[in-house]
Structures are given as structure tokens and as C-alpha cells.
Coordinates of all heavy atoms in Angstrom, one line a residue:
M4 N -23.2 0.9 -4.5 CA -21.9 1.1 -3.8 C -20.8 1.4 -4.7 O -20.8 1.1 -5.8 CB -21.6 -0.2 -3.1 CG -22.3 -0.4 -1.7 SD -21.8 1.1 -0.8 CE -22.9 1.0 0.6
S5 N -19.9 2.3 -4.0 CA -18.7 2.7 -4.9 C -17.9 1.5 -5.3 O -17.8 0.6 -4.5 CB -18.0 3.8 -4.2 OG -17.2 3.3 -3.2
R6 N -17.1 1.8 -6.3 CA -16.2 0.8 -6.8 C -15.1 0.6 -5.8 O -14.6 -0.5 -5.5 CB -15.6 1.4 -8.1 CG -14.9 0.6 -9.0 CD -14.5 1.4 -10.2 NE -13.1 1.3 -10.4 CZ -12.4 0.6 -11.2 NH1 -13.1 -0.3 -11.8 NH2 -11.1 0.6 -11.3
R7 N -14.6 1.7 -5.2 CA -13.7 1.7 -4.2 C -13.9 0.9 -3.1 O -13.1 0.1 -2.6 CB -13.4 3.2 -3.8 CG -12.4 3.3 -2.7 CD -12.1 4.8 -2.6 NE -11.5 5.1 -1.4 CZ -10.7 6.2 -1.2 NH1 -10.5 7.0 -2.2 NH2 -10.2 6.3 0.0
L8 N -15.1 0.9 -2.6 CA -15.6 0.1 -1.5 C -15.4 -1.5 -1.8 O -15.0 -2.2 -1.0 CB -17.0 0.3 -1.1 CG -17.3 0.2 0.4 CD1 -16.4 1.1 1.2 CD2 -18.8 0.4 0.7
K9 N -15.9 -1.7 -3.1 CA -15.9 -3.1 -3.5 C -14.5 -3.6 -3.5 O -14.3 -4.9 -3.3 CB -16.6 -3.2 -4.9 CG -17.0 -4.7 -5.3 CD -17.7 -4.6 -6.6 CE -16.6 -4.6 -7.7 NZ -17.0 -4.2 -9.0
E10 N -13.5 -2.8 -3.9 CA -12.1 -3.3 -4.1 C -11.3 -3.2 -2.9 O -10.2 -3.5 -2.8 CB -11.5 -2.3 -5.2 CG -12.1 -2.8 -6.5 CD -11.6 -2.0 -7.6 OE1 -10.9 -1.0 -7.5 OE2 -11.9 -2.3 -8.9
N11 N -12.0 -2.8 -1.8 CA -11.3 -2.9 -0.5 C -11.3 -4.2 0.1 O -12.1 -4.7 0.9 CB -11.9 -1.8 0.5 CG -11.2 -1.9 1.9 OD1 -9.9 -2.2 1.9 ND2 -11.9 -1.5 2.9
T12 N -10.4 -5.1 -0.5 CA -10.4 -6.6 -0.1 C -9.1 -7.0 0.5 O -8.1 -6.3 0.2 CB -10.8 -7.4 -1.3 OG1 -9.8 -7.2 -2.3 CG2 -12.2 -7.1 -1.8
G13 N -9.1 -8.2 1.2 CA -7.9 -8.7 1.6 C -7.1 -9.4 0.5 O -7.6 -9.5 -0.6
F14 N -5.9 -9.7 0.8 CA -5.1 -10.4 -0.3 C -3.9 -11.2 0.5 O -3.7 -11.0 1.6 CB -4.5 -9.4 -1.3 CG -3.7 -8.3 -0.7 CD1 -2.3 -8.5 -0.6 CD2 -4.2 -7.1 -0.3 CE1 -1.4 -7.5 0.0 CE2 -3.3 -6.1 0.3 CZ -2.0 -6.3 0.4
I15 N -3.3 -12.0 -0.3 CA -2.1 -12.7 0.2 C -0.9 -11.9 -0.3 O -0.8 -11.7 -1.5 CB -2.1 -14.2 -0.3 CG1 -3.3 -14.9 0.1 CG2 -0.8 -14.9 0.3 CD1 -3.5 -15.3 1.5
C16 N 0.0 -11.6 0.6 CA 1.2 -10.8 0.1 C 2.0 -11.7 -0.7 O 2.4 -12.7 -0.4 CB 1.8 -10.3 1.4 SG 3.4 -9.5 0.9
Q17 N 2.3 -11.0 -1.9 CA 3.2 -11.9 -2.8 C 4.7 -11.8 -2.5 O 5.5 -12.6 -3.0 CB 3.0 -11.4 -4.2 CG 1.6 -11.6 -4.7 CD 1.5 -11.5 -6.2 OE1 2.5 -11.6 -7.0 NE2 0.3 -11.4 -6.7
N18 N 5.1 -11.0 -1.4 CA 6.4 -11.0 -1.0 C 6.7 -11.9 0.2 O 7.5 -12.7 0.2 CB 6.9 -9.5 -0.7 CG 8.3 -9.5 -0.2 OD1 9.2 -9.9 -0.9 ND2 8.5 -8.9 1.0
C19 N 5.8 -11.7 1.3 CA 6.0 -12.5 2.5 C 5.1 -13.6 2.7 O 5.2 -14.4 3.7 CB 6.1 -11.6 3.7 SG 4.6 -10.8 4.2
G20 N 4.0 -13.6 1.9 CA 3.0 -14.8 2.0 C 2.0 -14.6 3.1 O 1.2 -15.5 3.3
C21 N 2.0 -13.5 3.7 CA 1.0 -13.3 4.9 C -0.3 -13.0 4.3 O -0.5 -12.3 3.3 CB 1.5 -12.1 5.7 SG 2.8 -12.5 6.9
E22 N -1.3 -13.4 5.2 CA -2.7 -13.0 4.8 C -3.0 -11.7 5.2 O -2.9 -11.4 6.5 CB -3.6 -14.1 5.3 CG -5.1 -13.9 4.7 CD -5.9 -15.1 5.2 OE1 -5.4 -16.1 5.8 OE2 -7.1 -15.0 4.9
V23 N -3.4 -10.7 4.4 CA -3.7 -9.4 4.8 C -5.1 -9.2 4.6 O -5.8 -9.5 3.6 CB -2.9 -8.4 3.7 CG1 -3.2 -7.0 4.1 CG2 -1.4 -8.7 3.8
V24 N -5.7 -8.6 5.7 CA -7.2 -8.4 5.6 C -7.4 -7.0 5.2 O -6.5 -6.0 5.2 CB -7.8 -8.5 7.1 CG1 -7.7 -9.9 7.6 CG2 -7.3 -7.5 8.0
A25 N -8.6 -6.6 4.7 CA -9.0 -5.4 4.2 C -8.9 -4.3 5.3 O -9.1 -4.6 6.5 CB -10.4 -5.4 3.7
L26 N -8.7 -3.1 4.9 CA -8.6 -2.0 5.9 C -10.0 -1.8 6.6 O -11.0 -2.0 5.9 CB -8.2 -0.7 5.3 CG -6.7 -0.5 4.9 CD1 -6.6 0.9 4.3 CD2 -5.8 -0.7 6.0
T27 N -10.0 -1.4 7.9 CA -11.2 -1.1 8.5 C -11.3 0.4 8.9 O -12.2 0.7 9.6 CB -11.3 -1.9 9.9 OG1 -10.1 -1.6 10.6 CG2 -11.3 -3.4 9.5
N28 N -10.6 1.2 8.2 CA -10.7 2.6 8.5 C -11.3 3.4 7.4 O -11.1 4.6 7.3 CB -9.2 3.1 8.9 CG -8.3 3.1 7.7 OD1 -8.6 2.7 6.6 ND2 -7.0 3.5 7.9
G29 N -11.9 2.8 6.4 CA -12.5 3.4 5.3 C -11.7 3.7 4.1 O -12.1 4.1 3.1
S30 N -10.4 3.4 4.2 CA -9.5 3.6 3.1 C -9.3 2.2 2.4 O -9.9 1.1 2.9 CB -8.2 4.2 3.6 OG -7.4 4.6 2.5
Y31 N -8.5 2.0 1.4 CA -8.3 0.8 0.8 C -6.8 0.4 1.0 O -6.0 1.2 1.0 CB -8.8 0.8 -0.6 CG -7.9 1.6 -1.5 CD1 -6.8 1.2 -2.2 CD2 -8.3 3.0 -1.7 CE1 -6.0 2.0 -2.9 CE2 -7.6 3.9 -2.4 CZ -6.5 3.4 -3.1 OH -5.8 4.2 -3.8
R32 N -6.7 -0.9 1.1 CA -5.3 -1.5 1.4 C -4.6 -1.7 0.0 O -5.1 -2.2 -0.8 CB -5.5 -2.8 2.0 CG -4.3 -3.6 2.3 CD -3.8 -3.3 3.6 NE -4.4 -4.0 4.8 CZ -4.3 -3.6 6.0 NH1 -3.3 -2.8 6.4 NH2 -4.9 -4.3 7.0
N33 N -3.4 -1.1 0.0 CA -2.5 -1.3 -1.2 C -1.2 -1.8 -0.9 O -0.3 -1.9 -1.8 CB -2.5 0.0 -2.1 CG -2.1 1.1 -1.2 OD1 -1.4 0.9 -0.1 ND2 -2.4 2.3 -1.7
H34 N -0.9 -2.2 0.3 CA 0.4 -2.7 0.6 C 0.3 -3.6 1.9 O -0.6 -3.5 2.6 CB 1.5 -1.6 0.8 CG 1.2 -0.7 1.9 ND1 0.5 0.5 1.6 CD2 1.5 -0.7 3.2 CE1 0.4 1.2 2.8 NE2 1.0 0.5 3.7
C35 N 1.3 -4.4 2.0 CA 1.3 -5.4 3.1 C 1.7 -4.7 4.4 O 2.7 -4.0 4.4 CB 2.4 -6.5 2.7 SG 2.6 -7.7 4.1
P36 N 1.0 -4.9 5.4 CA 1.4 -4.2 6.7 C 2.5 -4.8 7.5 O 3.1 -4.2 8.4 CB 0.1 -4.4 7.6 CG -0.6 -5.6 7.1 CD -0.2 -5.7 5.7
F37 N 3.0 -5.9 7.0 CA 4.1 -6.7 7.7 C 5.5 -6.4 7.0 O 6.4 -6.0 7.7 CB 3.8 -8.2 7.7 CG 2.6 -8.6 8.3 CD1 1.5 -9.1 7.4 CD2 2.3 -8.3 9.6 CE1 0.2 -9.3 8.1 CE2 1.0 -8.6 10.2 CZ 0.1 -9.1 9.4
C38 N 5.5 -6.5 5.7 CA 6.9 -6.3 5.0 C 6.8 -5.0 4.1 O 7.7 -4.5 3.6 CB 7.2 -7.4 4.1 SG 6.0 -7.7 2.7
L39 N 5.5 -4.3 4.1 CA 5.3 -3.1 3.4 C 5.4 -3.1 1.9 O 5.3 -2.2 1.2 CB 6.3 -2.0 4.0 CG 6.2 -1.8 5.5 CD1 7.3 -0.7 5.9 CD2 4.8 -1.5 6.0
Y40 N 5.6 -4.3 1.4 CA 5.7 -4.5 -0.2 C 4.2 -4.2 -0.7 O 3.2 -4.5 0.0 CB 6.1 -5.8 -0.6 CG 7.6 -6.0 -0.6 CD1 8.4 -5.8 0.4 CD2 8.2 -6.2 -1.9 CE1 9.8 -5.9 0.4 CE2 9.6 -6.2 -2.0 CZ 10.4 -6.1 -0.9 OH 11.8 -6.1 -1.0
S41 N 4.2 -3.8 -1.9 CA 2.9 -3.5 -2.6 C 3.0 -4.1 -4.0 O 4.0 -4.8 -4.4 CB 2.8 -1.9 -2.7 OG 1.5 -1.6 -3.4
L42 N 1.8 -4.1 -4.7 CA 1.9 -4.6 -6.1 C 1.5 -3.4 -7.0 O 0.7 -2.6 -6.7 CB 0.7 -5.7 -6.2 CG 1.1 -7.0 -5.8 CD1 -0.1 -8.0 -6.2 CD2 2.5 -7.5 -6.4
H43 N 2.1 -3.4 -8.2 CA 1.8 -2.3 -9.2 C 0.5 -2.6 -9.9 O 0.5 -3.2 -11.0 CB 3.1 -2.3 -10.2 CG 2.9 -1.1 -11.0 ND1 3.7 -0.9 -12.1 CD2 2.1 0.1 -10.9 CE1 3.4 0.3 -12.6 NE2 2.4 0.9 -12.0
V44 N -0.6 -2.3 -9.2 CA -1.9 -2.5 -9.8 C -2.6 -1.2 -10.3 O -3.6 -1.3 -11.0 CB -2.8 -3.3 -8.9 CG1 -2.3 -4.6 -8.7 CG2 -2.9 -2.5 -7.5
D45 N -2.0 0.0 -9.8 CA -2.7 1.3 -10.1 C -1.8 2.1 -11.1 O -0.6 2.2 -10.9 CB -2.9 2.1 -8.8 CG -3.8 1.4 -7.8 OD1 -4.6 0.5 -8.2 OD2 -3.7 1.7 -6.7
N46 N -2.5 2.9 -12.0 CA -1.8 4.0 -12.6 C -1.8 5.1 -11.8 O -0.9 5.9 -11.6 CB -2.4 4.1 -14.0 CG -2.1 3.0 -15.0 OD1 -1.0 2.4 -14.9 ND2 -2.9 2.7 -15.9
K47 N -3.0 5.4 -11.3 CA -3.2 6.5 -10.4 C -3.7 5.7 -9.1 O -4.5 4.7 -9.2 CB -4.3 7.5 -10.9 CG -3.9 8.3 -12.0 CD -4.8 9.4 -12.1 CE -4.8 10.2 -13.4 NZ -5.8 9.5 -14.4
P48 N -3.5 6.3 -7.9 CA -3.8 5.5 -6.7 C -5.3 5.2 -6.7 O -6.2 5.9 -6.9 CB -3.5 6.6 -5.6 CG -2.5 7.5 -6.2 CD -2.7 7.5 -7.6
G49 N -5.6 3.8 -6.6 CA -6.9 3.3 -6.5 C -7.6 2.9 -7.7 O -8.7 2.4 -7.7
D50 N -7.0 3.2 -8.9 CA -7.7 2.9 -10.1 C -7.6 1.4 -10.6 O -8.5 1.1 -11.4 CB -7.3 3.9 -11.3 CG -5.9 3.8 -11.9 OD1 -5.3 2.7 -11.4 OD2 -5.5 4.5 -12.6
R51 N -6.6 0.7 -10.1 CA -6.5 -0.7 -10.5 C -6.3 -0.9 -12.0 O -6.8 -1.9 -12.5 CB -7.7 -1.5 -9.9 CG -7.7 -1.5 -8.5 CD -6.6 -2.2 -7.8 NE -6.7 -2.4 -6.3 CZ -6.4 -1.5 -5.4 NH1 -5.8 -0.4 -5.8 NH2 -6.5 -1.8 -4.1
N52 N -5.8 0.1 -12.8 CA -5.8 0.0 -14.2 C -4.4 -0.4 -14.7 O -4.1 -0.5 -15.9 CB -6.0 1.4 -14.8 CG -7.6 1.6 -14.8 OD1 -8.3 0.6 -14.9 ND2 -8.0 2.8 -14.8
S53 N -3.4 -0.6 -13.8 CA -2.1 -1.0 -14.4 C -2.1 -2.4 -14.8 O -2.7 -3.3 -14.2 CB -1.0 -0.8 -13.3 OG 0.2 -1.3 -13.7
L54 N -1.4 -2.6 -16.0 CA -1.2 -4.0 -16.4 C 0.1 -4.6 -16.0 O 0.4 -5.8 -16.3 CB -1.3 -4.0 -17.9 CG -2.6 -3.5 -18.5 CD1 -2.5 -3.4 -20.1 CD2 -3.8 -4.4 -18.1
C55 N 0.8 -3.9 -15.2 CA 2.2 -4.3 -14.8 C 2.1 -5.5 -13.8 O 2.7 -6.5 -14.0 CB 2.9 -3.1 -14.2 SG 4.6 -3.6 -13.6
K56 N 1.5 -5.3 -12.7 CA 1.3 -6.2 -11.6 C 2.7 -6.7 -11.0 O 2.8 -7.7 -10.4 CB 0.5 -7.5 -12.0 CG -0.7 -7.2 -12.8 CD -1.8 -6.7 -11.8 CE -3.2 -6.9 -12.4 NZ -3.4 -5.8 -13.4
G57 N 3.6 -5.8 -11.2 CA 5.0 -6.1 -10.5 C 5.0 -5.9 -9.1 O 4.1 -5.3 -8.5
L58 N 6.0 -6.5 -8.4 CA 6.1 -6.3 -7.0 C 6.8 -4.9 -6.7 O 7.7 -4.6 -7.4 CB 6.9 -7.5 -6.4 CG 6.9 -7.8 -5.0 CD1 5.6 -8.1 -4.4 CD2 7.9 -8.9 -4.6
M59 N 6.2 -4.2 -5.7 CA 6.7 -2.9 -5.5 C 7.4 -2.8 -4.2 O 6.8 -3.3 -3.2 CB 5.7 -1.8 -5.5 CG 5.0 -1.7 -7.0 SD 3.9 -0.3 -7.2 CE 5.0 1.1 -7.4
R60 N 8.6 -2.4 -4.2 CA 9.5 -2.5 -3.0 C 9.4 -1.1 -2.2 O 9.4 -0.1 -2.8 CB 11.0 -2.8 -3.3 CG 11.8 -3.1 -2.2 CD 13.1 -3.7 -2.9 NE 13.9 -2.7 -3.6 CZ 14.8 -1.9 -3.1 NH1 15.0 -1.9 -1.7 NH2 15.4 -0.9 -3.8
P61 N 9.2 -1.2 -0.9 CA 9.2 0.0 -0.2 C 10.6 0.6 -0.1 O 11.5 0.0 0.2 CB 8.8 -0.3 1.3 CG 9.2 -1.7 1.4 CD 9.1 -2.3 0.0
T62 N 10.7 2.0 -0.6 CA 12.1 2.5 -0.7 C 12.3 3.8 0.2 O 13.3 4.2 0.3 CB 12.4 2.9 -2.1 OG1 11.3 3.8 -2.6 CG2 12.3 1.7 -3.0
G63 N 11.2 4.2 0.8 CA 11.4 5.4 1.6 C 10.2 6.0 2.3 O 9.0 5.4 2.0
L64 N 10.3 7.0 3.1 CA 9.2 7.4 3.8 C 9.2 8.9 3.7 O 10.2 9.6 3.8 CB 9.3 7.1 5.4 CG 8.2 7.4 6.4 CD1 6.9 6.7 6.0 CD2 8.6 7.2 7.7
T65 N 8.1 9.5 3.5 CA 7.9 11.0 3.3 C 6.8 11.5 4.3 O 5.8 10.7 4.5 CB 7.7 11.5 2.0 OG1 6.5 10.8 1.4 CG2 8.9 11.3 1.0
Y66 N 6.9 12.7 4.6 CA 5.8 13.3 5.4 C 5.1 14.4 4.6 O 5.8 15.3 4.1 CB 6.3 13.8 6.8 CG 5.1 14.3 7.6 CD1 4.3 13.4 8.3 CD2 4.9 15.7 7.8 CE1 3.3 13.8 9.0 CE2 3.8 16.0 8.6 CZ 3.0 15.1 9.2 OH 1.9 15.6 9.9
N67 N 3.7 14.3 4.5 CA 3.0 15.3 3.8 C 1.9 15.9 4.8 O 1.3 15.2 5.5 CB 2.2 14.6 2.7 CG 1.3 15.5 1.9 OD1 0.4 16.1 2.4 ND2 1.5 15.5 0.5
S68 N 2.1 17.2 4.8 CA 1.3 17.9 5.9 C -0.2 17.6 5.8 O -1.0 17.7 6.7 CB 1.5 19.4 5.9 OG 1.2 19.9 4.6
K69 N -0.7 17.3 4.6 CA -2.1 17.0 4.4 C -2.4 15.5 4.7 O -3.4 15.1 5.2 CB -2.6 17.4 3.0 CG -2.6 18.8 2.8 CD -3.5 19.2 1.6 CE -3.6 20.7 1.4 NZ -2.7 21.2 0.3
K70 N -1.6 14.7 4.0 CA -1.9 13.2 4.0 C -1.1 12.4 5.1 O -1.4 11.2 5.2 CB -1.4 12.6 2.6 CG -2.4 13.3 1.5 CD -2.0 12.7 0.2 CE -2.8 13.2 -0.9 NZ -2.3 12.9 -2.3
G71 N -0.3 13.0 5.8 CA 0.4 12.3 6.8 C 1.7 11.5 6.3 O 2.1 11.8 5.1
Y72 N 2.0 10.5 7.0 CA 3.2 9.7 6.5 C 2.8 8.9 5.2 O 1.8 8.3 5.2 CB 3.7 8.8 7.6 CG 4.5 9.6 8.5 CD1 3.9 9.9 9.9 CD2 5.8 10.0 8.3 CE1 4.7 10.6 10.9 CE2 6.4 10.8 9.2 CZ 5.9 11.0 10.5 OH 6.6 11.7 11.4
Q73 N 3.8 8.9 4.3 CA 3.5 8.0 3.1 C 4.8 7.2 2.8 O 5.9 7.8 2.9 CB 3.3 9.0 1.9 CG 1.9 9.8 1.9 CD 1.8 10.7 0.7 OE1 2.7 11.6 0.6 NE2 0.8 10.5 0.0
I74 N 4.5 6.1 2.3 CA 5.7 5.2 2.0 C 5.8 5.3 0.5 O 4.8 5.3 -0.3 CB 5.3 3.7 2.3 CG1 5.1 3.6 3.8 CG2 6.4 2.7 1.8 CD1 4.4 2.2 4.2
T75 N 7.1 5.5 0.0 CA 7.4 5.4 -1.4 C 7.6 4.0 -1.8 O 8.4 3.3 -1.1 CB 8.6 6.3 -1.7 OG1 8.4 7.7 -1.2 CG2 8.8 6.4 -3.2
H76 N 7.0 3.5 -2.8 CA 7.2 2.2 -3.4 C 7.7 2.4 -4.8 O 7.4 3.2 -5.5 CB 5.9 1.5 -3.5 CG 5.3 1.1 -2.2 ND1 4.2 1.6 -1.5 CD2 5.6 0.0 -1.4 CE1 4.0 1.0 -0.4 NE2 4.8 0.0 -0.3
S77 N 8.7 1.5 -5.1 CA 9.1 1.5 -6.6 C 9.0 0.2 -7.0 O 9.3 -0.9 -6.4 CB 10.6 2.1 -6.6 OG 11.4 1.1 -6.2
C78 N 8.5 0.1 -8.3 CA 8.1 -1.2 -9.0 C 9.5 -1.9 -9.4 O 10.2 -1.3 -10.1 CB 7.2 -0.9 -10.1 SG 6.7 -2.5 -10.9
Q79 N 9.5 -3.1 -9.1 CA 10.7 -3.9 -9.5 C 10.7 -4.4 -11.0 O 11.7 -4.8 -11.5 CB 10.9 -5.1 -8.6 CG 11.1 -4.6 -7.1 CD 11.5 -5.7 -6.2 OE1 10.9 -6.7 -6.2 NE2 12.6 -5.6 -5.4
C80 N 9.4 -4.3 -11.6 CA 9.4 -4.6 -13.0 C 9.6 -3.4 -13.9 O 10.4 -3.5 -14.8 CB 8.0 -5.2 -13.3 SG 7.7 -6.8 -12.6
C81 N 8.9 -2.3 -13.7 CA 9.0 -1.1 -14.6 C 9.6 0.0 -14.0 O 9.8 1.0 -14.7 CB 7.5 -0.8 -15.2 SG 6.4 -0.1 -13.8
G82 N 9.9 0.1 -12.7 CA 10.7 1.1 -12.1 C 9.9 2.2 -11.8 O 10.4 3.3 -11.2
V83 N 8.6 2.3 -11.9 CA 7.7 3.4 -11.5 C 7.7 3.6 -10.0 O 7.8 2.6 -9.3 CB 6.2 3.2 -12.1 CG1 5.3 2.9 -11.0 CG2 5.9 4.4 -12.9
S84 N 7.6 4.9 -9.5 CA 7.5 5.1 -8.1 C 6.1 5.7 -7.7 O 5.5 6.4 -8.4 CB 8.5 6.1 -7.6 OG 9.7 5.5 -7.6
Q85 N 5.6 5.1 -6.6 CA 4.3 5.7 -6.1 C 4.4 5.9 -4.6 O 5.1 5.3 -3.9 CB 3.2 4.7 -6.4 CG 2.7 4.6 -7.8 CD 1.6 3.5 -8.1 OE1 1.3 2.8 -7.2 NE2 1.1 3.5 -9.3
R86 N 3.6 6.8 -4.2 CA 3.5 7.1 -2.7 C 2.2 6.5 -2.2 O 1.1 6.7 -2.8 CB 3.6 8.5 -2.4 CG 5.0 9.0 -2.5 CD 5.1 10.5 -2.1 NE 6.4 11.0 -2.4 CZ 6.8 12.3 -2.5 NH1 5.8 13.1 -2.3 NH2 7.9 12.6 -2.8
N87 N 2.2 5.8 -1.0 CA 1.0 5.3 -0.4 C 1.0 5.7 1.0 O 2.0 5.6 1.7 CB 1.1 3.8 -0.5 CG 0.8 3.3 -1.9 OD1 -0.1 3.6 -2.6 ND2 1.8 2.6 -2.5
K88 N -0.3 6.0 1.5 CA -0.5 6.4 2.9 C -0.2 5.2 3.7 O -0.5 4.1 3.6 CB -1.9 6.8 3.1 CG -2.1 8.3 3.2 CD -3.3 8.7 3.8 CE -4.6 8.0 3.4 NZ -5.8 8.7 4.0
V89 N 0.5 5.5 4.9 CA 0.7 4.5 5.9 C -0.7 4.2 6.5 O -1.5 5.1 6.7 CB 1.6 5.1 7.0 CG1 1.6 4.2 8.3 CG2 3.0 5.2 6.4
A90 N -1.0 2.8 6.7 CA -2.3 2.4 7.2 C -2.2 2.6 8.8 O -1.4 1.9 9.5 CB -2.5 1.1 6.8
T91 N -3.1 3.3 9.4 CA -3.2 3.4 10.8 C -4.8 3.3 11.2 O -5.6 3.5 10.3 CB -2.7 4.8 11.4 OG1 -3.3 5.9 10.6 CG2 -1.1 4.8 11.2
N92 N -5.0 3.2 12.4 CA -6.4 3.2 12.9 C -7.3 2.1 12.2 O -8.3 2.4 11.7 CB -7.1 4.5 12.7 CG -6.4 5.6 13.6 OD1 -6.0 5.4 14.7 ND2 -6.2 6.8 12.9
T93 N -6.7 0.9 12.1 CA -7.3 -0.2 11.3 C -6.8 -1.5 11.9 O -5.8 -1.6 12.7 CB -6.9 -0.1 9.8 OG1 -7.5 -1.3 9.2 CG2 -5.5 -0.1 9.6
L94 N -7.6 -2.5 11.6 CA -7.1 -3.9 11.9 C -5.7 -4.0 11.0 O -5.7 -3.6 10.0 CB -8.2 -4.9 11.4 CG -8.3 -6.2 12.1 CD1 -8.8 -5.9 13.5 CD2 -9.4 -7.1 11.3
Q95 N -4.8 -4.7 11.6 CA -3.5 -4.9 10.9 C -2.9 -3.6 10.5 O -2.7 -3.3 9.4 CB -3.6 -5.8 9.7 CG -3.8 -7.2 10.1 CD -3.9 -8.1 8.8 OE1 -4.1 -7.7 7.7 NE2 -3.6 -9.4 9.1
E96 N -2.6 -2.7 11.4 CA -1.8 -1.4 11.1 C -0.5 -1.8 10.5 O 0.1 -2.8 10.9 CB -1.7 -0.6 12.3 CG -2.9 0.0 12.9 CD -2.7 1.0 13.9 OE1 -1.6 1.1 14.5 OE2 -3.6 1.9 14.2
D97 N 0.1 -0.8 9.7 CA 1.4 -1.0 9.2 C 2.4 -1.2 10.4 O 2.2 -0.5 11.4 CB 1.8 0.1 8.4 CG 1.1 0.1 7.0 OD1 0.4 -0.9 6.7 OD2 1.3 1.2 6.2
D98 N 3.4 -2.0 10.2 CA 4.3 -2.2 11.2 C 5.3 -1.1 11.2 O 6.2 -0.8 10.4 CB 5.2 -3.6 10.8 CG 6.1 -4.0 11.9 OD1 6.5 -3.1 12.7 OD2 6.3 -5.2 12.0
M99 N 5.1 -0.3 12.4 CA 6.0 1.0 12.6 C 7.4 0.6 12.6 O 8.3 1.5 12.1 CB 5.6 1.7 13.7 CG 4.6 2.8 13.4 SD 5.2 3.8 12.1 CE 4.2 5.2 11.9
D100 N 7.8 -0.4 13.1 CA 9.3 -0.9 13.2 C 9.9 -1.0 11.8 O 11.0 -0.5 11.5 CB 9.4 -2.1 14.0 CG 9.1 -1.9 15.5 OD1 9.2 -0.8 15.9 OD2 8.8 -2.9 16.1
E101 N 9.0 -1.6 10.9 CA 9.5 -1.9 9.5 C 9.6 -0.5 8.8 O 10.5 -0.2 8.0 CB 8.4 -2.6 8.7 CG 8.5 -4.2 9.1 CD 9.8 -4.9 8.7 OE1 10.3 -4.4 7.6 OE2 10.3 -5.7 9.3
I102 N 8.5 0.4 9.0 CA 8.5 1.7 8.4 C 9.7 2.5 8.8 O 10.3 3.3 8.0 CB 7.2 2.4 8.8 CG1 6.0 1.9 8.1 CG2 7.3 3.9 8.4 CD1 4.7 2.3 8.5
L103 N 10.1 2.5 10.1 CA 11.3 3.3 10.5 C 12.6 2.8 10.0 O 13.5 3.5 10.0 CB 11.2 3.4 12.0 CG 10.0 4.2 12.5 CD1 9.9 4.1 14.0 CD2 10.0 5.6 12.1
L104 N 12.5 1.6 9.5 CA 13.8 1.1 8.8 C 14.0 1.6 7.4 O 15.0 1.5 6.9 CB 13.8 -0.4 8.9 CG 13.9 -1.1 10.2 CD1 13.7 -2.7 10.0 CD2 15.2 -0.8 10.9
L105 N 12.9 2.2 6.8 CA 13.0 2.6 5.5 C 14.1 3.7 5.3 O 14.2 4.6 6.1 CB 11.7 3.1 4.9 CG 10.6 2.0 4.8 CD1 9.3 2.7 4.4 CD2 11.1 1.0 3.8
Ligands
ZN225 ZN1 4.2 -8.9 3.0
ZN226 ZN1 5.4 -1.8 -12.6

């Protein structure tokens, strides 16, 4: 089985404390669907190679014609920015009300 599949696991959000389940749409979860915070665990999306592990704050929303809506996260420890796809068509979809507040 692919590494990516194995790493599609649930987690407890370090910002709001909610229990987040793994995505059921074939993608992997990298941010909380309730408060949209993420953790700095990737150097490139999905690689889980970052040693930072800082809390990443959602700072904006962009639209990509290929990938759809993406949330911009910026790390509160090292300041790096990453874009992550909005989670849809899954158990625990991203909270659209929260996204529109970005
Ligand atoms: Zn959260
Ligand atoms: Zn960081």
C-alpha cells in the first residue's frame, strides 16, 4: 500500500482540540475542518518531512482552476506559507462559513 494511504489518519486538532477523522474522499487530511488550522509537517505537500511541527494559521483563500479552492496557511513558528486544498465530498467537510471568513 502507498505511504500516502497509510498516513491518511485522523488527529486531534492542536488549535481547537476537536477530534478530526481521516478524509473519506481519497485525499489526505492536513488541516482541521472546524477551525481550519494546520500543522507544519510537510516540506512539500504530503511528504511529512518537516521538523518544524508549528501551528499553521489559515490566512487566505485562493482559487486554482485545476485544484479548486485552496486555503493558504502560514506557520506561526517559521513563517512559511503553504496552500492546501479545501476538503469536500468527505466525512467532516471543511466548514464553509469559516472559509468564507478568511
Ligand atoms: Zn481545529
Ligand atoms: Zn514552520
